[in-house]
Each structure stands twice: as structure tokens, then as C-alpha cells.
Amino acid sequence: MNENAHLAALVRDTQVFLLDMDGTVYIGDSLIGEMKHTLAAFRNAGKKIVYCTNNSSKTAAEYEQKLLRLGIWSEEDLVYTSGMATAEYLSSAYPHKKVYLVGTDALKREFASYGVELCEKGAEVCVLAYDTSLTYAKLCAINEYIVRGLPYIATHPDDVCPAQGVYPPDVGSFISLLKTSSGREPDVICGKPYRVMGERLCARLGVSAARVTMAGDRPHTDIRFGNNNGFATLLVLSGETDAKKAASLPESDRPTLVIPDLNAAARVL
């Protein structure tokens, strides 16, 4: 089977497309190629579109506003963040437990919408997220909970957050800092490339892993996430990975197929 036929079969068998955003759907505020047509073609073919991000500092509603502004949001689509996956995981694994969260006010509201009880004192679980309002007092508080042996959950493992100019530290950098001070790493990390986010999504959508395709531009997060969860994977060369890098990836990060951009997947419909 040639690659075009392989891609056509993959797209045909896919019920849910999980899409990384920056580098896959858009770059900054610019859509990649004929992305509006591509996403419309997926929807018209009965495919579910899920915008899948590790950024736990923003709510799904905030992402929806950007996608709406870019003209690529449809009410049948879903935004799913590592923060949402973490809230669902907590509701399942630690129901009715008090949670100390290092996170933004937006994420606190997201957690509250899932019925997660947040507290400053007397926590039974602690959670580390991408907190753009991080203070030394918050670091000391969660460090104490970690040292005391509470279940320790992180939303995602990214060391830095993509941005214009210098990339700022993200949760992975916070994890390294707290490992130095506490001697512990998180018991569970929910976001890409780990399994929690994929498992929660499949449960939410009622779909088997065999009918899901993850498309993204970062092999060590997007593609490894798909591989870890048993999804088909599409590595797009429209973001941070070029053809040379794609040809020499470790087995854990090798995609099902490499395509120039996501638009190539719509051309075989």
C-alpha cells in the first residue's frame, strides 16, 4: 500500500481527530493553508474534532474564543486541556478529597465546575499546574504537602511554554524545582504524552482507541502521546519538526505517517 492509500485508509477509519493547535492548525494567529476547508471536510465526513492542548493555564472557553475568532470553531467540536483531564481524573481517583492546587484562577474555576473541592489548608491531594500567577508562598505550600507524602498530581510535563521570543518556564520546570526541594516527582502526570488524558477522552467520547488519530507537530509530546494510548498518529511538518528530524526519531516517537500539513489528510477524503 502506497503512502497516499495508507493515509486514505487511516482517515477513513478515524472517528475522532485529536488536534494539537499551534504548529498543526495555526501558527500564532495565522491558519496553516486551507485549514478552514480541511476542518469542514472532516466534519462533513462525520469526524469529531477535538482540539487537544497541554496548556492548563487557560479554560476550554478561552480557547474556544480564539478558535471562533480564527473562524475554525464549530459547536460540535471540543477543546480538551490537560487541566480538564486532571479534573476528571481527580473526580474519579480521589472523589470528595480536598485538593490544594497551584494554578491560575481560570483553572480553579474549571476544577470547581467538575465539583473538585479546593482548599488552602487541610489538603488530601496536591496538584501542580501551569500557574502564570505563581508565588514563592504557593511553592512552599505545595512543597510541604509533597514532603508530607500526599498524592502529587501534575497536569502536564512541558518544560517551557511556546511564546514569542524567550520561552517561559512551564510545569516541567516547576516539577524539577520541587524534586530538588522535596525529593519527589509527581505520582501521576495527566497531559501529553501520558495515558490519563487519552483514557479520559476515550471515556468521555465513548470511542475506542483504534478509532482515534492524534495529529501534531511535536514527536515527543503529540506523537508519543498517541503511541502510548494506541491511537494512529500523524506527524505534520508545518510546525517545529522538519523532514530531517522526522526521519531519525526514536521508536517511541515514530508516527503512523508523516504528512506535510494537516490539509493533506483532507485531500484523500
Side-chain angles (χ1 to χ4, degrees), residues 52 124 131 144 163 191 204 226 243:
C52 190
E124 298 165 280
D131 189 357
E144 183 173 339
R204 171 188 274 247

Side-chain angles (χ1 to χ4, degrees), residues 1-9 257 268:
M1 184 184 295
N2 64 40
E3 287 216 351
N4 207 48
H6 193 178
L7 179 58
L257 288 171
V268 299

